[in-house]
Amino acid sequence: MLIIGLGKAGCNISELFKKHKQYQVELLDEGKGIKKCGSVEEYDSIDYKPRKKAIKSATEGILFVCGSGKISGATLRVLEGLKHVKMTVVYIGPDLEQCSNLESKRHKVHFGILQQYARCGSIEELLVLDNKIIAGFVGYGTVLKYYDNVNHYIYSMIHTLNYCNNVKPDFDTRHEIKDISKISTLGWGIFGEKEEKTFFSLDNITETSYIININEDELNNDVTVMPTVQAMVKDNKALNRETSFGIWSTKEEKSYFYIKHCTHIIQGEE
């Protein structure tokens, strides 16, 4: 799978995937893979062409980008250069309280355009994560490593989901997400506990998929696992969301789950 990091935040997350041989990682930042420009408009007019043979032959990929920086103006140009690849964009929403007015405006414009790209099928999916929400969950690092915890958690979530998408589950009822439900986010929870932490406030959720990782011993011996899963699904269906799940065994001590929420409704519009 192709991993593209665009801009500082995108590159810092993408760098973490290099330890796995199944990923081809390309880092694009000012003067590295993309020429340095002075404005969003200049970045929006670049001509991006993949340099590596492995990128040219890729069939699916993920692009990580935070929309508040100038270089995020190159997002559509990079996607055009990768139109032969089935691309998911992981959009890292900035902490707007720490953004300048200009950065907030960039975010609003880029977020809106990428949602339209997802809706019309120009990209496979727009997966939205909120930097501030994740930081509130995992904590900030030191001054010199301020976003390290956030970046590592995002990497860990995406890598785990990629693993589950490519390994047959022990039990599977997952439905095929509708073609129109292209805007999504992720959440996490401890299996058996009611609380779910969602990493972007997604409005008008229409579909939900649970990716459940159960400790091997529990999976073999605990008869309450399936009733617990069924109760989770029932509660979510009561919110008028099409809901399904898959279960994988894990060697980790604690059983946990990821949750993927999807919608076709544009976010941030009144």
Side-chain angles (χ1 to χ4, degrees), residues 230-265:
Q230 291 169 338
M232 292 165 59
V233 170
K234 182 179 179 181
D235 288 346
N236 204 67
K237 281 187 174 181
L239 299 173
N240 295 316
R241 303 168 182 171
E242 187 167 353
T243 309
S244 58
F245 67 92
I247 299 174
W248 289 259
S249 65
T250 178
K251 295 184 183 298
E252 295 188 40
E253 185 177 344
K254 276 276 191 181
S255 298
Y256 63 95
F257 63 89
Y258 288 111
I259 184 169
K260 186 173 185 178
H261 292 305
C262 304
T263 187
H264 60 281
I265 303 297

Side-chain angles (χ1 to χ4, degrees), residues 154-174:
I154 292 171
Y155 145 75
S156 180
M157 281 196 297
I158 300 300
H159 177 60
T160 300
L161 293 176
N162 285 341
Y163 171 84
C164 290
N165 284 334
N166 288 282
V167 172
K168 186 177 179 181
D170 294 279
F171 196 97
D172 195 12
T173 72
R174 289 172 300 165

Side-chain angles (χ1 to χ4, degrees), residues 125-143:
E125 179 183 1
L126 179 66
L127 197 159
V128 189
L129 301 173
D130 189 311
N131 231 345
K132 186 176 180 180
I133 293 176
I134 297 177
F137 180 64
V138 302
Y140 289 108
T142 62
V143 171

